[in-house]
Amino acid sequence: MTAPTETQALAPSTWLPRAAAHATRADELTAGHRARRAAGERHPIDDFLYDYYNVKPSLLRRWHPGAGISLAPSAEGPAEHTGWRWYRTAADGTVGLDVDAFLADRGDLVRHVHALLAATAARTPLTGCFGLHEWAMVYRQDDTRRRHSLPLRLGREGTDAVVEQHPVRCTHFDAFRFFTPDAIPLNRTTLTRETQVATEQPGCLHANMDSLKWALKLGPAVPGELLLDCFELARDIRTLDMQASPYDVTSLGERAVAIETPEGKAEYVARQREFAARTAVLRDRLLDVCAQVLGTSAQPTRPTRLPDEQEQQGQADDHREQSEQQ
């Protein structure tokens, strides 16, 4: 497959302000993290993204025009991108992503991301999991081994009781793999890395938060503005993730979304749906990036669905939970 070449050259009067605006926005988004890091402090919600996704403020600050866009030289010469990996500089000083070089190094990854995002986009969002993945990560666990130092909002017995009183139906492997041994058999489906493309669905908070992961993996092919949009989305999702978790987040200035109550369930589902809609827009943009790099359509060749039994049961559970909330 021959990758497309740059199709649009931006004048310095266009791309220099965009690059500057991007740097300013990135600095604003990372200010808290940078201040805490300098003071040797940590925040269980905000700093999670930097650890889990191995992202640095300097990486977020670096603006890329994206695949299919090149940068005409300014009066000072070619854009600084000329010295960056996977970029090439034309004879006239115009700089753009060398898609062939990028594909040579990252082609398999781009194809995987395209397949996963396309499969996810083709499915109907499933709600009603109520964030129990976080509860399953501490189920019947020795408190000295918890991932966070925050106290459990309902205590040990109360936390375990919530898990035992609700169906656990996680569809995201990278959440499932942190379940405690006692929680693993409680999940409706045994998830594996190999089945991730077949089970990922667009209602899942963690799958949607991973928009940041895939934007980072696609690197310079992703426009800087899209990367920061994905970062903001992941930050907002992470907040709900912890509000609905078994941890007491009041010390962080956050209120709990008590998913063990009908009111908490209703709020979680409503916000889950909002994030699903917000993510769908960014997922489509990431699919467009993959298509631009691969030279293929951004749409999947055929709908990919969850295994029928799992999807039908999930929809039935969703309808039941929603009826109980009314």
Side-chain angles (χ1 to χ4, degrees), residues 113 138 213 246 288 318:
V113 173
V138 298
K213 175 181 180 179
D288 286 341
D318 290 348

Side-chain angles (χ1 to χ4, degrees), residues 135 153-154 162 165-166 244-245 257-265:
W135 299 69
R153 180 168 56 84
L154 301 180
V162 169
Q165 293 166 6
H166 291 78
S245 77
V257 175
I259 56 91
E260 71 277 11
T261 69
E263 297 78 13
K265 286 181 173 67

Side-chain angles (χ1 to χ4, degrees), residues 95-147:
V95 182
L97 181 66
D98 186 338
V99 177
D100 288 324
F102 181 69
L103 272 178
D105 289 344
R106 295 284 179 89
D108 288 344
L109 173 64
V110 176
R111 283 183 280 273
H112 171 73
V113 173
H114 182 269
L116 178 62
L117 295 183
T120 304
R123 299 186 177 112
T124 301
L126 300 180
T127 58
C129 64
F130 307 126
L132 282 168
H133 57 275
E134 289 288 344
W135 299 69
M137 293 177 191
V138 298
Y139 179 63
R140 293 185 178 179
Q141 184 182 61
D142 181 345
D143 288 346
T144 62
R145 300 178 58 192
R146 288 210 313 267
R147 300 169 65 206

Side-chain angles (χ1 to χ4, degrees), residues 157-230:
E157 293 184 1
T159 298
D160 291 346
V162 169
V163 177
E164 292 163 357
Q165 293 166 6
H166 291 78
V168 183
R169 40 180 178 261
C170 181
T171 57
H172 186 64
F173 172 71
D174 282 314
F176 177 75
R177 67 191 177 96
F178 290 108
F179 280 23
T180 64
D182 286 338
I184 289 175
L186 299 180
N187 202 48
R188 175 183 298 141
T189 305
T190 299
L191 304 173
T192 67
R193 180 68 70 197
E194 291 70 27
T195 61
Q196 186 173 10
V197 173
T199 56
E200 204 89 308
Q201 55 89 16
C204 171
L205 286 191
H206 272 255
N208 293 337
M209 190 162 59
D210 273 356
S211 296
L212 173 60
K213 175 181 180 179
W214 305 126
L216 290 166
K217 293 287 188 183
L218 294 171
V222 174
E225 295 84 354
L226 176 54
L227 173 62
L228 294 188
D229 287 348
C230 291

Side-chain angles (χ1 to χ4, degrees), residues 82-105:
T82 191
W84 296 359
R85 187 181 183 189
W86 294 310
Y87 278 87
R88 66 167 177 242
T89 305
D92 65 355
T94 301
V95 182
L97 181 66
D98 186 338
V99 177
D100 288 324
F102 181 69
L103 272 178
D105 289 344

Side-chain angles (χ1 to χ4, degrees), residues 13 86 315:
S13 59
W86 294 310
Q315 291 173 341

